[in-house]
Amino acid sequence: MANTTTAPAPAPALGFPEKLMPIGGTWVPAASGDTIVVSNPATEKAIAETPAGTVQDGLAALDAACQAQDSWAATPPRVRADLLDAAYRAILERRNEFAALITAEMGKTLTEAQAEVDYGAGFFRWFAEAANRLHLEGQYGIEPGGQYRLAVSKRPVGPALLITPWNFPLAMGARKIAPALAAGCTTVLKPAELTPLTSLLLAKVLEEVGVPAGVVNVITTDNSREVIGAIMADPRVRKISFTGSTQVGKALLTQAAENVMNTSMELGGNAPLIVFDDADLDQAVEGAMVAKLRNGGQSCVAANRIYLQSGIAAEFLQRFTERMTATRVGDGAVHGVELGALVDEKQAAKVASLVEDAVSKGATCLTGGTRPGGIGYYYPPTVLTDIPENADIREEEIFGPVAAVYEFKTEEDVVRAANGTPYGLASYVFTKDLARALRVADAIDAGMTGINRGVVSNPAAPFGGTKASGLGREGGTEGLEAYLETKYTGIEL
Ligand code: SIN
């Protein structure tokens, strides 16, 4: 493979007991005794085994969360904040250990994994600060008629089921666990089957810093549908927070309706990245590289459609294609590699088939476009132009290092194209004209817009989408709100 660096990945330290998961403060095997093998996508070799949790295990995790709920909710916010702050520090102290595990089970480069550790740890710091301010959330006053008093306060919504994807094995768990704990909710975390190891290490670290038994329970399983179905059928679960595909999100919303459960859904995206003629091209090429290749393109905020205004299209394409071609691909654990393996065979095959479909229908491939043979689920950085109307890549979330590039003439045209999708998660605009930047950001129906930057993710910012991209926000002040209920008391003196 061109630009490929290969060397064996070092075996990562697990940092938690293998084949066990934490339920109610004890590390236990699956009730069936069965395990799931977790493999490294760069080497296709097994790294470790985790329990193949059953419905019985899922319900045991829920029991543990329910038992711990009242005492955790009664724990003073400052004590909860101190624990979250301790978690923040402990994760950073073990930055290399976390990063090695993320790379080994997910495939991203060590540099990106370290960035994910910082990002993930940041949620614990952010929500530690928020927990300290929880007492400010209430109100007290006299009702407008002057007859009696109103008191409004916040309380935890209750035990929460957290379901995380494989693409950010630490950050997605952190983004859900930290606000849940800050709010006073106990949790059952169900990590993705492909990448459960980082979640287990996170649970171990939380245990070590003193988070009480039963507050964070983890169920690893290869039978997600039944285990999640059983947990959600139990009316004691009051919250579900899910990050994953829109298709699964819709099914979970239907299930959540049964018990009128509080829901947060962070679902699929189809992010447009727009470069206007007046953009700073260095900044735009850099932003597009990050928005496209961060996490190997396996992110719901990845630039899925790159729109170039006619005046800069040729120059941008030349510079961007050179950068894509020069990207070093290989085992993410190897120093200097810039793009690691995709998460599994299914993902690599899906990306390859989207490219083959587009090219067979007439698209031009400027670089990449051929899946290498050999070990590991690699796909090269690829740039496609002249993409015909009937190509699947126009509509689908690529989730890989493939840039689908389109040309546009006017602002009006590009806004219409950007909004012409059922999704509305992230979007990116590159222009030096501030008025245009803000006008276009306002006109794009998406939860997030990056202006002259290719990354919007930040623990302090509300992450989430409109339309089929989901409901609710994670991070920011909204992220805590998602785990709180409002309680109003009318007081006659
Ligand atoms: C995601 O892809 O689901 C999350 C990406 C991020 O938090 O930056």
Side-chain angles (χ1 to χ4, degrees):
M1 187 186 349
N3 293 313
T4 301
T5 315
T6 46
L14 289 184
F16 58 86
E18 193 176 356
K19 300 185 194 175
L20 303 179
M21 54 193 167
I23 294 183
T26 308
W27 287 74
V28 296
S32 62
D34 293 341
T35 57
I36 309 163
V37 175
V38 180
S39 299
N40 181 329
T43 62
E44 301 183 34
K45 290 206 176 102
I47 317 167
E49 289 173 52
T50 64
T54 61
V55 164
Q56 188 184 336
D57 297 312
L59 293 177
L62 177 59
D63 285 344
C66 293
Q67 270 164 31
Q69 179 57 54
D70 287 350
S71 63
W72 182 243
T75 302
R78 176 149 292 153
V79 175
R80 300 203 298 262
D82 286 348
L83 286 169
L84 292 173
D85 188 56
Y88 162 66
R89 287 166 204 283
I91 294 167
L92 288 187
E93 269 163 30
R94 296 169 77 165
R95 190 172 186 249
N96 291 339
E97 198 184 331
F98 269 105
L101 208 50
I102 292 171
T103 294
E105 67 175 343
M106 190 270 160
K108 72 179 72 176
T109 65
L110 266 183
T111 309
E112 284 207 67
Q114 283 161 350
E116 182 183 342
V117 178
D118 296 344
Y119 178 41
F123 287 102
F124 286 93
R125 177 165 65 171
W126 174 256
F127 286 109
E129 290 162 358
N132 268 326
R133 294 191 301 269
L134 253 183
H135 69 285
L136 298 175
E137 298 279 329
Q139 294 165 24
Y140 179 77
I142 299 174
E143 61 90 20
Q147 301 297 304
Y148 61 96
R149 265 107 175 129
L150 314 175
V152 180
S153 60
K154 297 286 178 176
R155 53 170 61 185
V157 70
L161 172 62
L162 313 176
I163 305 175
T164 52
W166 48 259
N167 59 348
F168 288 86
L170 177 69
M172 297 302 96
R175 189 156 79 187
K176 296 181 194 303
I177 292 174
L181 268 50
C185 298
T186 59
T187 61
V188 174
L189 173 68
K190 206 293 290 169
E193 183 187 335
L194 290 172
T195 58
L197 305 178
T198 309
S199 297
L200 291 166
L201 178 58
L202 175 61
K204 186 75 186 142
V205 167
L206 294 174
E207 181 185 296
E208 284 170 9
V209 300
V211 173
V215 172
V216 176
N217 307 280
V218 182
I219 170 101
T220 59
T221 182
D222 55 0
N223 186 15
S224 296
R225 191 188 292 254
E226 280 185 35
V227 172
I228 291 169
I231 296 175
M232 288 186 69
D234 191 316
R236 292 176 301 166
V237 188
R238 296 315 311 142
K239 167 90 196 176
I240 174 169
S241 177
F242 170 72
T243 297
S245 71
T246 297
Q247 191 193 2
V248 174
K250 283 180 182 174
L252 291 173
L253 281 169
T254 305
Q255 280 173 268
E258 195 57 41
N259 288 323
V260 194
M261 199 178 281
N262 182 316
T263 60
S264 294
M265 295 280 148
E266 203 268 274
L267 308 178
N270 188 354
L273 183 145
I274 303 168
V275 186
F276 285 98
D277 281 346
D278 66 355
D280 173 333
L281 277 202
D282 289 337
Q283 197 176 41
V285 170
E286 188 54 42
M289 286 297 292
V290 178
K292 187 64 260 180
L293 288 193
R294 174 173 176 253
N295 223 33
Q298 299 166 110
S299 166
C300 48
V301 291
N304 218 48
R305 299 169 287 155
I306 297 182
Y307 292 104
L308 306 178
Q309 200 163 19
S310 311
I312 49 84
E315 188 182 347
F316 179 98
L317 257 182
Q318 189 210 327
R319 289 162 66 167
F320 179 67
T321 305
E322 273 168 19
R323 288 280 304 275
M324 290 286 270
T325 309
T327 300
R328 276 161 292 168
V329 183
D331 185 332
V334 174
H335 182 71
V337 165
E338 295 165 301
L339 175 65
L342 300 189
V343 75
D344 68 356
E345 170 58 33
K346 193 170 146 210
Q347 197 57 32
K350 187 202 147 198
V351 171
S353 94
L354 282 175
V355 173
E356 279 157 26
D357 171 75
V359 171
S360 74
K361 289 172 178 164
T364 305
C365 183
L366 297 181
T367 189
T370 309
R371 204 179 151 191
I375 305 290
Y377 309 118
Y378 294 102
Y379 199 85
T382 297
V383 180
L384 297 180
T385 58
D386 310 318
I387 301 169
E389 291 293 335
N390 61 347
D392 296 342
I393 204 164
R394 277 185 173 262
E395 311 294 333
E396 288 196 30
E397 198 172 12
I398 303 168
F399 246 64
V402 176
V405 182
Y406 308 88
E407 221 176 290
F408 71 94
K409 288 202 167 56
T410 67
E411 182 181 314
E412 202 184 16
D413 288 347
V414 81
V415 167
R416 194 178 319 107
N419 286 336
T421 153
Y423 299 99
L425 192 58
S427 53
Y428 307 91
V429 180
F430 289 82
T431 173
K432 280 193 245 163
D433 178 343
L434 181 60
R436 169 153 48 202
L438 296 177
R439 195 167 60 234
V440 173
D442 283 351
I444 293 179
D445 189 357
M448 300 173 281
T449 301
I451 294 177
N452 295 326
R453 53 179 295 119
V455 181
V456 288
S457 312
N458 189 316
F463 188 106
T466 60
K467 302 191 279 184
S469 289
L471 296 170
R473 296 292 182 268
E474 294 189 294
T477 44
E478 292 82 353
L480 182 64
E481 199 55 45
Y483 292 88
L484 292 169
E485 220 34 295
T486 299
K487 169 76 182 186
Y488 148 62
T489 310
I491 308 161
E492 185 87 46
L493 296 177

